[in-house]
Amino acid sequence: MPVKHKPTGEVHKGQKGGTTGCGFDTKEHSDHWVNTSEKITCDKNGCKN
């Protein structure tokens, strides 16, 4: 399930409470992250592939 970074609006591969495909830790500032069904918008390796 994709996870959205609320401050930037960027959608990453991964889930809240874990690590995104490109390496962000969603447990750090967990209130900035929300599970979503939106299309992944991050272009970094791990998210777009």
Side-chain angles (χ1 to χ4, degrees):
M1 169 173 276
V3 64
K4 183 174 188 173
H5 187 240
K6 290 193 285 185
T8 63
E10 197 163 44
V11 182
H12 298 268
K13 182 182 194 176
Q15 61 196 27
K16 189 174 165 85
T19 306
T20 67
C22 61
F24 284 110
D25 183 355
T26 64
K27 293 182 289 262
E28 203 173 303
H29 305 294
S30 64
D31 56 330
H32 289 187
W33 298 94
V34 62
N35 286 326
T36 183
S37 58
E38 293 177 45
K39 186 173 181 265
I40 293 168
T41 58
C42 178
D43 283 337
K44 294 187 179 123
N45 280 343
C47 280
K48 70 175 180 178
N49 308 356

Short mmCIF file of all heavy atoms in Angstrom, two decimals:
data_model
loop_
_atom_site.label_atom_id
_atom_site.label_comp_id
_atom_site.label_asym_id
_atom_site.label_seq_id
_atom_site.Cartn_x
_atom_site.Cartn_y
_atom_site.Cartn_z
N MET A 1 0.84 -1.19 0.00
CA MET A 1 0.00 0.00 0.00
C MET A 1 0.89 1.25 0.00
O MET A 1 1.85 1.31 0.76
CB MET A 1 -0.89 -0.01 1.24
CG MET A 1 -1.62 1.30 1.48
SD MET A 1 -2.82 1.22 2.80
CE MET A 1 -4.19 0.55 1.93
N PRO A 2 0.58 2.22 -0.82
CA PRO A 2 1.37 3.45 -0.82
C PRO A 2 1.17 4.26 0.46
O PRO A 2 0.16 4.11 1.15
CB PRO A 2 0.82 4.22 -2.02
CG PRO A 2 0.16 3.20 -2.88
CD PRO A 2 -0.36 2.17 -1.94
N VAL A 3 2.14 5.08 0.77
CA VAL A 3 2.06 5.95 1.94
C VAL A 3 2.38 7.38 1.50
O VAL A 3 3.27 7.59 0.68
CB VAL A 3 3.01 5.44 3.06
CG1 VAL A 3 4.47 5.50 2.63
CG2 VAL A 3 2.82 6.20 4.36
N LYS A 4 1.62 8.33 1.99
CA LYS A 4 1.76 9.72 1.57
C LYS A 4 2.43 10.55 2.65
O LYS A 4 2.10 10.43 3.83
CB LYS A 4 0.37 10.30 1.27
CG LYS A 4 0.39 11.72 0.76
CD LYS A 4 -1.01 12.16 0.36
CE LYS A 4 -0.99 13.50 -0.33
NZ LYS A 4 -2.34 13.83 -0.85
N HIS A 5 3.40 11.37 2.23
CA HIS A 5 4.06 12.31 3.14
C HIS A 5 3.26 13.60 3.09
O HIS A 5 3.27 14.32 2.10
CB HIS A 5 5.51 12.54 2.69
CG HIS A 5 6.30 13.36 3.65
ND1 HIS A 5 6.88 14.56 3.29
CD2 HIS A 5 6.60 13.17 4.96
CE1 HIS A 5 7.51 15.05 4.34
NE2 HIS A 5 7.35 14.23 5.36
N LYS A 6 2.50 13.89 4.15
CA LYS A 6 1.56 15.01 4.14
C LYS A 6 2.21 16.37 3.88
O LYS A 6 1.67 17.15 3.10
CB LYS A 6 0.75 15.03 5.43
CG LYS A 6 -0.24 13.87 5.51
CD LYS A 6 -1.25 14.03 6.60
CE LYS A 6 -0.66 13.78 7.97
NZ LYS A 6 -1.65 13.81 9.04
N PRO A 7 3.37 16.69 4.50
CA PRO A 7 3.95 18.03 4.25
C PRO A 7 4.33 18.28 2.79
O PRO A 7 4.19 19.40 2.30
CB PRO A 7 5.19 18.06 5.14
CG PRO A 7 4.88 17.09 6.24
CD PRO A 7 4.06 16.00 5.58
N THR A 8 4.78 17.25 2.06
CA THR A 8 5.20 17.45 0.67
C THR A 8 4.14 16.98 -0.32
O THR A 8 4.18 17.36 -1.49
CB THR A 8 6.49 16.67 0.37
OG1 THR A 8 6.24 15.27 0.52
CG2 THR A 8 7.63 17.11 1.25
N GLY A 9 3.22 16.12 0.12
CA GLY A 9 2.20 15.57 -0.78
C GLY A 9 2.73 14.46 -1.66
O GLY A 9 2.04 13.97 -2.55
N GLU A 10 3.97 14.02 -1.41
CA GLU A 10 4.57 12.97 -2.23
C GLU A 10 4.11 11.60 -1.76
O GLU A 10 4.03 11.35 -0.56
CB GLU A 10 6.10 13.07 -2.14
CG GLU A 10 6.81 12.34 -3.24
CD GLU A 10 8.27 12.79 -3.38
OE1 GLU A 10 8.95 12.93 -2.36
OE2 GLU A 10 8.69 12.99 -4.52
N VAL A 11 3.80 10.72 -2.70
CA VAL A 11 3.32 9.38 -2.39
C VAL A 11 4.44 8.37 -2.67
O VAL A 11 5.01 8.36 -3.75
CB VAL A 11 2.05 9.03 -3.21
CG1 VAL A 11 1.55 7.64 -2.84
CG2 VAL A 11 0.97 10.08 -2.98
N HIS A 12 4.76 7.55 -1.65
CA HIS A 12 5.86 6.60 -1.72
C HIS A 12 5.34 5.17 -1.63
O HIS A 12 4.25 4.93 -1.13
CB HIS A 12 6.83 6.81 -0.54
CG HIS A 12 7.48 8.15 -0.51
ND1 HIS A 12 8.70 8.39 -1.10
CD2 HIS A 12 7.07 9.31 0.04
CE1 HIS A 12 9.03 9.66 -0.90
NE2 HIS A 12 8.05 10.25 -0.21
N LYS A 13 6.17 4.23 -2.10
CA LYS A 13 5.88 2.80 -1.93
C LYS A 13 6.25 2.43 -0.49
O LYS A 13 7.31 2.81 -0.01
CB LYS A 13 6.75 2.02 -2.92
CG LYS A 13 6.55 0.54 -2.92
CD LYS A 13 7.52 -0.05 -3.91
CE LYS A 13 7.24 -1.47 -4.27
NZ LYS A 13 8.18 -1.92 -5.30
N GLY A 14 5.37 1.72 0.17
CA GLY A 14 5.64 1.33 1.55
C GLY A 14 4.38 1.45 2.38
O GLY A 14 3.28 1.47 1.85
N GLN A 15 4.56 1.53 3.71
CA GLN A 15 3.41 1.68 4.58
C GLN A 15 3.80 2.42 5.84
O GLN A 15 4.96 2.46 6.21
CB GLN A 15 2.83 0.31 4.93
CG GLN A 15 3.79 -0.59 5.67
CD GLN A 15 3.34 -2.02 5.66
OE1 GLN A 15 2.64 -2.46 4.77
NE2 GLN A 15 3.76 -2.78 6.66
N LYS A 16 2.79 3.01 6.48
CA LYS A 16 3.02 3.74 7.73
C LYS A 16 3.53 2.77 8.78
O LYS A 16 3.04 1.66 8.90
CB LYS A 16 1.69 4.37 8.16
CG LYS A 16 1.82 5.34 9.31
CD LYS A 16 0.49 6.01 9.57
CE LYS A 16 0.46 6.71 10.91
NZ LYS A 16 1.01 8.03 10.90
N GLY A 17 4.56 3.18 9.52
CA GLY A 17 5.14 2.33 10.55
C GLY A 17 6.29 1.49 10.05
O GLY A 17 6.80 0.64 10.76
N GLY A 18 6.75 1.75 8.82
CA GLY A 18 7.87 1.00 8.25
C GLY A 18 8.80 1.94 7.51
O GLY A 18 8.97 3.09 7.88
N THR A 19 9.38 1.43 6.44
CA THR A 19 10.30 2.21 5.63
C THR A 19 9.76 2.26 4.20
O THR A 19 9.25 1.26 3.71
CB THR A 19 11.70 1.56 5.62
OG1 THR A 19 12.12 1.39 6.99
CG2 THR A 19 12.72 2.44 4.92
N THR A 20 9.88 3.42 3.55
CA THR A 20 9.42 3.53 2.17
C THR A 20 10.41 2.83 1.24
O THR A 20 11.53 2.51 1.65
CB THR A 20 9.31 5.00 1.74
OG1 THR A 20 10.60 5.58 1.69
CG2 THR A 20 8.40 5.80 2.66
N GLY A 21 10.01 2.64 0.00
CA GLY A 21 10.87 1.99 -0.98
C GLY A 21 12.19 2.70 -1.16
O GLY A 21 13.22 2.08 -1.41
N CYS A 22 12.19 4.04 -1.02
CA CYS A 22 13.43 4.80 -1.22
C CYS A 22 14.16 5.08 0.10
O CYS A 22 15.15 5.80 0.11
CB CYS A 22 13.13 6.10 -1.98
SG CYS A 22 12.01 7.22 -1.13
N GLY A 23 13.66 4.54 1.21
CA GLY A 23 14.44 4.58 2.44
C GLY A 23 14.01 5.52 3.55
O GLY A 23 14.66 5.59 4.58
N PHE A 24 12.91 6.25 3.39
CA PHE A 24 12.44 7.11 4.49
C PHE A 24 11.84 6.24 5.59
O PHE A 24 11.12 5.28 5.32
CB PHE A 24 11.36 8.09 4.01
CG PHE A 24 11.88 9.25 3.22
CD1 PHE A 24 11.63 9.34 1.86
CD2 PHE A 24 12.62 10.25 3.83
CE1 PHE A 24 12.11 10.41 1.12
CE2 PHE A 24 13.10 11.32 3.10
CZ PHE A 24 12.84 11.41 1.74
N ASP A 25 12.12 6.57 6.85
CA ASP A 25 11.56 5.87 7.99
C ASP A 25 10.26 6.56 8.39
O ASP A 25 10.27 7.69 8.86
CB ASP A 25 12.55 5.90 9.15
CG ASP A 25 12.08 5.13 10.37
OD1 ASP A 25 10.93 4.63 10.37
OD2 ASP A 25 12.86 5.03 11.34
N THR A 26 9.12 5.89 8.19
CA THR A 26 7.83 6.53 8.47
C THR A 26 7.51 6.55 9.97
O THR A 26 6.52 7.16 10.37
CB THR A 26 6.68 5.82 7.71
OG1 THR A 26 6.56 4.50 8.19
CG2 THR A 26 6.92 5.84 6.22
N LYS A 27 8.34 5.90 10.79
CA LYS A 27 8.14 5.97 12.24
C LYS A 27 8.67 7.29 12.79
O LYS A 27 8.25 7.74 13.85
CB LYS A 27 8.81 4.79 12.95
CG LYS A 27 8.16 3.45 12.59
CD LYS A 27 8.79 2.29 13.33
CE LYS A 27 10.16 1.97 12.83
NZ LYS A 27 10.31 0.91 11.89
N GLU A 28 9.61 7.89 12.06
CA GLU A 28 10.15 9.20 12.43
C GLU A 28 9.14 10.24 11.94
O GLU A 28 8.80 10.27 10.77
CB GLU A 28 11.50 9.39 11.73
CG GLU A 28 12.41 10.39 12.39
CD GLU A 28 13.79 10.38 11.74
OE1 GLU A 28 14.41 9.30 11.71
OE2 GLU A 28 14.19 11.44 11.27
N HIS A 29 8.65 11.08 12.83
CA HIS A 29 7.59 12.05 12.51
C HIS A 29 6.38 11.31 11.93
O HIS A 29 5.89 11.64 10.84
CB HIS A 29 8.07 13.11 11.51
CG HIS A 29 9.29 13.84 11.95
ND1 HIS A 29 9.29 14.67 13.06
CD2 HIS A 29 10.54 13.86 11.46
CE1 HIS A 29 10.51 15.17 13.22
NE2 HIS A 29 11.28 14.69 12.27
N SER A 30 5.90 10.30 12.63
CA SER A 30 4.83 9.44 12.10
C SER A 30 3.55 10.21 11.78
O SER A 30 2.77 9.77 10.95
CB SER A 30 4.52 8.31 13.09
OG SER A 30 4.02 8.83 14.29
N ASP A 31 3.36 11.38 12.39
CA ASP A 31 2.16 12.16 12.09
C ASP A 31 2.23 12.80 10.71
O ASP A 31 1.23 13.32 10.21
CB ASP A 31 1.92 13.23 13.17
CG ASP A 31 3.11 14.16 13.38
OD1 ASP A 31 4.26 13.73 13.17
OD2 ASP A 31 2.88 15.32 13.75
N HIS A 32 3.40 12.76 10.05
CA HIS A 32 3.55 13.30 8.70
C HIS A 32 3.17 12.29 7.63
O HIS A 32 3.14 12.63 6.45
CB HIS A 32 5.01 13.73 8.45
CG HIS A 32 5.41 14.96 9.20
ND1 HIS A 32 6.63 15.56 8.99
CD2 HIS A 32 4.79 15.68 10.15
CE1 HIS A 32 6.73 16.61 9.79
NE2 HIS A 32 5.61 16.69 10.50
N TRP A 33 2.92 11.03 8.02
CA TRP A 33 2.68 9.96 7.06
C TRP A 33 1.28 9.40 7.18
O TRP A 33 0.76 9.24 8.28
CB TRP A 33 3.70 8.82 7.29
CG TRP A 33 5.10 9.25 7.08
CD1 TRP A 33 5.98 9.69 8.03
CD2 TRP A 33 5.82 9.28 5.84
NE1 TRP A 33 7.18 9.99 7.45
CE2 TRP A 33 7.12 9.76 6.11
CE3 TRP A 33 5.49 8.95 4.54
CZ2 TRP A 33 8.07 9.91 5.12
CZ3 TRP A 33 6.44 9.10 3.56
CH2 TRP A 33 7.72 9.58 3.85
N VAL A 34 0.66 9.06 6.06
CA VAL A 34 -0.67 8.46 6.07
C VAL A 34 -0.77 7.44 4.94
O VAL A 34 -0.29 7.68 3.83
CB VAL A 34 -1.77 9.55 5.95
CG1 VAL A 34 -1.67 10.31 4.66
CG2 VAL A 34 -3.15 8.97 6.12
N ASN A 35 -1.35 6.26 5.25
CA ASN A 35 -1.59 5.26 4.21
C ASN A 35 -2.61 5.79 3.22
O ASN A 35 -3.53 6.50 3.60
CB ASN A 35 -2.09 3.94 4.83
CG ASN A 35 -1.00 3.19 5.54
OD1 ASN A 35 0.15 3.21 5.14
ND2 ASN A 35 -1.35 2.51 6.61
N THR A 36 -2.42 5.48 1.94
CA THR A 36 -3.27 6.03 0.90
C THR A 36 -3.44 5.01 -0.22
O THR A 36 -2.69 4.02 -0.28
CB THR A 36 -2.68 7.34 0.34
OG1 THR A 36 -3.57 7.88 -0.62
CG2 THR A 36 -1.32 7.13 -0.30
N SER A 37 -4.39 5.25 -1.08
CA SER A 37 -4.53 4.39 -2.27
C SER A 37 -4.16 5.19 -3.52
O SER A 37 -4.40 4.75 -4.63
CB SER A 37 -5.97 3.88 -2.38
OG SER A 37 -6.86 4.97 -2.45
N GLU A 38 -3.55 6.37 -3.31
CA GLU A 38 -3.14 7.22 -4.44
C GLU A 38 -1.98 6.59 -5.19
O GLU A 38 -1.27 5.73 -4.68
CB GLU A 38 -2.72 8.60 -3.92
CG GLU A 38 -3.85 9.41 -3.34
CD GLU A 38 -3.38 10.74 -2.79
OE1 GLU A 38 -2.59 11.42 -3.45
OE2 GLU A 38 -3.82 11.09 -1.67
N LYS A 39 -1.78 7.04 -6.42
CA LYS A 39 -0.68 6.58 -7.27
C LYS A 39 0.65 7.07 -6.70
O LYS A 39 0.75 8.20 -6.22
CB LYS A 39 -0.90 7.15 -8.68
CG LYS A 39 0.07 6.65 -9.71
CD LYS A 39 -0.34 7.14 -11.09
CE LYS A 39 0.61 6.63 -12.15
NZ LYS A 39 1.65 7.54 -12.49
N ILE A 40 1.68 6.23 -6.75
CA ILE A 40 3.01 6.59 -6.26
C ILE A 40 3.59 7.70 -7.13
O ILE A 40 3.61 7.59 -8.36
CB ILE A 40 3.93 5.35 -6.23
CG1 ILE A 40 3.41 4.36 -5.19
CG2 ILE A 40 5.37 5.74 -5.96
CD1 ILE A 40 4.03 2.99 -5.26
N THR A 41 4.05 8.78 -6.49
CA THR A 41 4.59 9.92 -7.22
C THR A 41 6.10 10.09 -7.02
O THR A 41 6.72 10.89 -7.70
CB THR A 41 3.90 11.23 -6.80
OG1 THR A 41 4.06 11.42 -5.39
CG2 THR A 41 2.41 11.19 -7.13
N CYS A 42 6.70 9.34 -6.09
CA CYS A 42 8.13 9.44 -5.84
C CYS A 42 8.91 8.82 -7.01
O CYS A 42 8.60 7.72 -7.45
CB CYS A 42 8.49 8.74 -4.54
SG CYS A 42 10.26 8.76 -4.19
N ASP A 43 9.92 9.54 -7.50
CA ASP A 43 10.73 9.06 -8.63
C ASP A 43 12.05 8.41 -8.20
O ASP A 43 12.86 8.07 -9.05
CB ASP A 43 11.06 10.23 -9.57
CG ASP A 43 9.87 10.61 -10.44
OD1 ASP A 43 8.98 9.76 -10.65
OD2 ASP A 43 9.84 11.75 -10.91
N LYS A 44 12.28 8.27 -6.89
CA LYS A 44 13.55 7.71 -6.43
C LYS A 44 13.56 6.20 -6.59
O LYS A 44 12.51 5.56 -6.59
CB LYS A 44 13.77 8.09 -4.96
CG LYS A 44 13.95 9.57 -4.76
CD LYS A 44 14.32 9.87 -3.33
CE LYS A 44 14.53 11.35 -3.16
NZ LYS A 44 13.67 11.93 -2.13
N ASN A 45 14.74 5.61 -6.69
CA ASN A 45 14.89 4.15 -6.78
C ASN A 45 14.24 3.50 -5.57
O ASN A 45 14.41 3.97 -4.45
CB ASN A 45 16.37 3.75 -6.83
CG ASN A 45 16.96 3.92 -8.20
OD1 ASN A 45 16.24 4.03 -9.18
ND2 ASN A 45 18.27 3.96 -8.28
N GLY A 46 13.53 2.42 -5.81
CA GLY A 46 12.86 1.70 -4.73
C GLY A 46 11.38 2.03 -4.69
O GLY A 46 10.58 1.19 -4.34
N CYS A 47 11.01 3.25 -5.03
CA CYS A 47 9.60 3.63 -5.07
C CYS A 47 9.04 3.49 -6.48
O CYS A 47 7.98 2.92 -6.67
CB CYS A 47 9.40 5.07 -4.60
SG CYS A 47 9.40 5.24 -2.81
N LYS A 48 9.77 4.00 -7.47
CA LYS A 48 9.25 3.97 -8.85
C LYS A 48 9.41 2.62 -9.50
O LYS A 48 8.75 2.33 -10.46
CB LYS A 48 9.90 5.06 -9.70
CG LYS A 48 11.36 4.82 -10.01
CD LYS A 48 11.90 5.87 -10.95
CE LYS A 48 13.36 5.63 -11.27
NZ LYS A 48 13.87 6.59 -12.21
N ASN A 49 10.29 1.76 -8.96
CA ASN A 49 10.53 0.45 -9.57
C ASN A 49 9.79 -0.62 -8.78
O ASN A 49 9.84 -0.70 -7.63
CB ASN A 49 12.02 0.11 -9.56
CG ASN A 49 12.85 1.22 -10.17
OD1 ASN A 49 12.34 2.20 -10.65
ND2 ASN A 49 14.16 1.05 -10.14
#
